[in-house]
Amino acid sequence: QVQLVESGGGLVQAGGSLRLSCAASGSIFSINHMGWYRQAPGKQRELVATITSGGSANYADSVKGRFTISRDGAKNTVYLQMNSLKPEDTAVYYCNAAHLTAWTSTDYWGQGTQVTVSS
């Protein structure tokens, strides 16, 4: 099992910045992808950004150029730096850790942290 603890959400004005953190513990040796997803009220959960154990990052088009995902292997922590925030970024942000193969995906989720961007 893998446990994920998120922090860093909050209320910010449009144009502001926040940094989310996600600390992983437990059976992390199997994890080869970590990332952030978000879910706004009445909408499906969507990918925000992911990063592999090798450091390759992937972003949703809506956040490219504004958000940066990074990881600290020594701390087993992944970060999401969010700049130039927009009201449409308001959502609950969930940390994800996954063991991906060509055939399977084993996913673990954090409890979520609320990000609210006021206009």
Side-chain angles (χ1 to χ4, degrees):
Q1 288 292 326
V2 174
Q3 294 78 44
L4 302 172
V5 178
E6 301 135 333
S7 60
L11 173 65
V12 65
Q13 288 188 333
S17 298
L18 283 173
R19 189 176 83 153
L20 305 183
S21 300
C22 174
S25 61
S27 302
I28 58 175
F29 59 88
S30 65
I31 300 303
N32 54 15
H33 283 72
M34 291 190 73
W36 293 92
Y37 291 69
R38 66 186 181 187
Q39 187 167 17
K43 296 187 177 181
Q44 290 188 331
R45 190 173 297 188
E46 63 177 4
L47 180 147
V48 177
T50 61
I51 189 166
T52 69
S53 54
S56 296
N58 178 55
Y59 297 92
D61 288 342
S62 59
V63 306
K64 282 181 181 176
R66 300 188 298 122
F67 291 10
T68 302
I69 190 169
S70 61
R71 58 187 294 272
D72 184 332
K75 295 182 179 180
N76 299 317
T77 299
V78 64
Y79 304 96
L80 186 67
Q81 178 66 43
M82 305 185 293
N83 298 329
S84 302
L85 282 160
K86 304 175 181 179
E88 50 263 45
D89 295 317
T90 295
V92 178
Y93 283 70
Y94 296 91
C95 180
N96 169 268
H99 175 68
L100 301 181
T101 71
W103 307 275
T104 63
S105 174
T106 302
D107 290 89
Y108 303 92
W109 295 93
Q111 79 283 1
T113 185
Q114 177 70 47
V115 171
T116 302
V117 184
S118 62
S119 57

